[in-house]
Amino acid sequence: MRLGRGGRYSLDAFRHEALGEVTSTNTECLARVRQGDPGNLWVTGDRQTAGRGRRGRAWTSEPGNLYASLLLIDPAPAELLGSLPLAVSLAVHGAIRSFLPPAAEPLEIKWPNDVLIGRKKTCGILLESEGLPDLSRAVVIGIGINIRHRPDDAPYGVTSLEEQGCNISAHELFSHLYREMAEILDLWDEGRAVAEITRRWRQVACGIGQPIRVNLPDRSIDGRFAGIDDRGLLLLDTGHGTQAIAAGDVFYL
Ligand code: BTN
């Protein structure tokens, strides 16, 4: 895919601020937008002292891994934002793919946006959003990729790129992520290209057709992972029909 110059998500449309120790690169982006930053800003940190994951969990953030957040303003109309997590996971998948040795275990995506190698999590993505006084909406895409370290207390399998035979610095990986993200946002077309995003996502999805458990805030449902619909919702075949699920944690059974 080629990116033209000067478009909303062309390569030269983004700025990058590289920081040392931060609380959280997501927090830094939110602080920038409150100070009037116009968006399309990448913030990276060498280390986070208060990295956060989904559902209020902490994200272990030792030096050597990649901690990056991208601030966007009004990236799409609200009703088209749902496919953004899938698009972002494709960008991360693309950035990691070229560095993995040929014999590495499969690089796949667990719905909606965990990037796995050999079914072990190597990247987490946290999207946060905030309404601004001028009624626009800031969206922060936070990405953590395990390069040299992985947590030992995670409630699911985890791995690092180093463990998978991949020798790369956070700096080098970020330069690929920067390009892949610009390309995928351009393709995503403010949410209008959801069909192409879901098509690509299905090609690298982990476990379609297999039994899974989906943890919702108030209960768990077991069933067969029937794929995703054309909006990007998870399709769960429970044996009594197929449910479309917008948010939840997936576990392979
Ligand atoms: C998850 O729980 O899977 C999401 C983890 C997201 C972690 C990244 S690291 C960079 C950015 N800053 C944060 O505080 N969190 C995200």
Side-chain angles (χ1 to χ4, degrees), residues 83 85-90 93 108-115 194-208 225 227-229 232-234 252:
S83 58
L86 306 183
V88 172
S89 67
L90 286 171
H93 187 278
E108 296 171 312
I109 304 177
K110 177 165 82 90
W111 187 86
N113 58 10
D114 282 347
V115 180
V194 59
E196 178 60 12
I197 295 295
T198 51
R199 188 188 70 76
R200 291 185 185 209
W201 193 94
R202 287 183 192 103
Q203 289 176 343
V204 293
C206 181
I208 292 184
F225 179 27
I228 56 170
D229 71 9
L233 302 189
L234 178 142
Y252 299 104

Side-chain angles (χ1 to χ4, degrees), residues 8-9 72-88 183-198 229-232:
R8 184 173 187 193
Y9 295 127
L72 301 177
I73 310 250
D74 281 339
E79 68 279 9
L80 296 183
L81 264 178
S83 58
L84 182 56
L86 306 183
V88 172
E183 289 186 354
I184 213 82
L185 289 174
D186 194 49
L187 172 76
W188 181 61
D189 193 16
E190 301 180 356
R192 284 182 284 267
V194 59
E196 178 60 12
I197 295 295
T198 51
D229 71 9
D230 289 339
R231 294 161 296 171

Side-chain angles (χ1 to χ4, degrees), residues 54-55 57 110-112 114 155-156 211-223 225 234 236 238 243-253:
R54 292 171 60 207
R55 303 195 189 290
R57 296 180 199 120
K110 177 165 82 90
W111 187 86
D114 282 347
Y156 41 74
I212 57 169
R213 172 163 302 150
V214 184
N215 284 352
L216 305 174
D218 55 338
R219 67 206 156 99
S220 299
I221 325 178
D222 288 357
F225 179 27
L234 178 142
L236 186 69
T238 60
Q243 293 190 26
I245 295 175
D249 276 341
V250 170
F251 293 87
Y252 299 104
L253 298 176

Side-chain angles (χ1 to χ4, degrees), residues 3-84:
L3 287 167
R5 287 180 71 84
R8 184 173 187 193
Y9 295 127
S10 59
L11 281 180
D12 54 2
F14 296 91
R15 291 160 296 131
H16 174 208
E17 200 174 321
L19 303 175
E21 181 176 295
V22 292
T23 52
S24 150
T25 52
N26 272 28
T27 302
E28 292 288 343
C29 279
L30 288 168
R32 297 292 182 289
V33 77
R34 287 176 200 135
Q35 291 155 7
D37 191 281
N40 285 12
L41 172 71
W42 277 104
V43 173
T44 55
D46 293 339
R47 172 170 190 265
Q48 300 184 118
T49 54
R52 51 182 185 268
R54 292 171 60 207
R55 303 195 189 290
R57 296 180 199 120
W59 185 260
T60 309
S61 302
E62 294 304 314
N65 289 349
L66 178 63
Y67 310 107
S69 297
L70 174 61
L71 168 66
L72 301 177
I73 310 250
D74 281 339
E79 68 279 9
L80 296 183
L81 264 178
S83 58
L84 182 56

